[in-house]
Amino acid sequence: MISYFDTSVLLAALITKHELHDKAKLTLQKALSSGTAVSTTTYAYAELYRNITKPTKFGIHLSPAAAAETIINGIGNLLTIVELTKADYEAAISRCSELGLMSSVIYDALHYEAALKAGAEVLYTDNLRDFTRLQLEGETMRIEGIR
């Protein structure tokens, strides 16, 4: 089985003060210890870096060096990283267009396409609404929220 984790779950797993930290960390640990392949996309690297280097409501942020270490040698060593191509970006745009979706849902669509590319059976997110509306009829990947 292959599990895919979007940035919202990875961020919550990393930030101990995040309201969903325990659930996110447990979900990630269960996936890793079950022998399942665990994946995310290179795009998540950028989202994680952005979010853990800026001051937040959680009252913490990492220095650029600490953020790089956490992402590259922490998350990067635990997960299979899916690289997106021009065709993957075009598929995400086409998916949003076909479904009549606009604006920032495109970023979730990139995660969705990466999960499909990885062959994920389940996608974990804290943004259940946007991911479920991205699913086309006949697609069988489970989308599970961590709330």
Side-chain angles (χ1 to χ4, degrees):
M1 181 167 125
I2 299 172
S3 299
Y4 183 92
F5 285 76
D6 87 334
T7 307
S8 66
V9 180
L10 296 174
L11 181 65
L14 288 172
I15 305 296
T16 57
K17 292 183 180 181
H18 193 287
E19 65 179 321
L20 295 173
H21 172 72
D22 291 338
K23 288 181 182 178
K25 186 176 177 182
L26 181 62
T27 302
L28 183 59
Q29 286 174 332
K30 279 183 179 179
L32 290 167
S33 66
S34 72
T36 189
V38 180
S39 63
T40 196
T41 181
T42 48
Y43 173 70
Y45 272 30
E47 286 185 315
L48 283 170
Y49 187 85
R50 175 192 176 272
N51 282 293
I52 64 177
T53 58
K54 72 174 186 171
T56 67
K57 65 182 178 184
F58 308 114
I60 64 163
H61 66 278
L62 299 179
S63 69
E69 175 69 22
T70 298
I71 295 166
I72 296 167
N73 296 319
I75 292 292
N77 285 335
L78 294 175
L79 307 180
T80 300
I81 306 301
V82 179
E83 295 186 31
L84 296 177
T85 64
K86 177 180 179 251
D88 298 320
Y89 273 77
E90 290 170 352
I93 292 167
S94 294
R95 176 181 297 275
C96 289
S97 173
E98 180 179 337
L99 294 169
L101 301 174
M102 301 179 287
S103 194
S104 60
V105 72
I106 187 63
Y107 300 112
D108 294 327
L110 292 172
H111 279 289
Y112 193 93
E113 291 299 329
L116 290 175
K117 186 174 185 175
E121 293 176 33
V122 60
L123 182 154
Y124 292 102
T125 184
D126 179 33
N127 189 0
L128 193 57
R129 185 180 79 83
D130 278 344
F131 280 96
T132 54
R133 66 186 182 147
L134 285 166
Q135 199 158 34
L136 298 173
E137 189 174 326
E139 291 179 334
T140 60
M141 180 172 57
R142 286 189 341 269
I143 302 169
E144 294 189 15
I146 60 165
R147 280 197 187 265

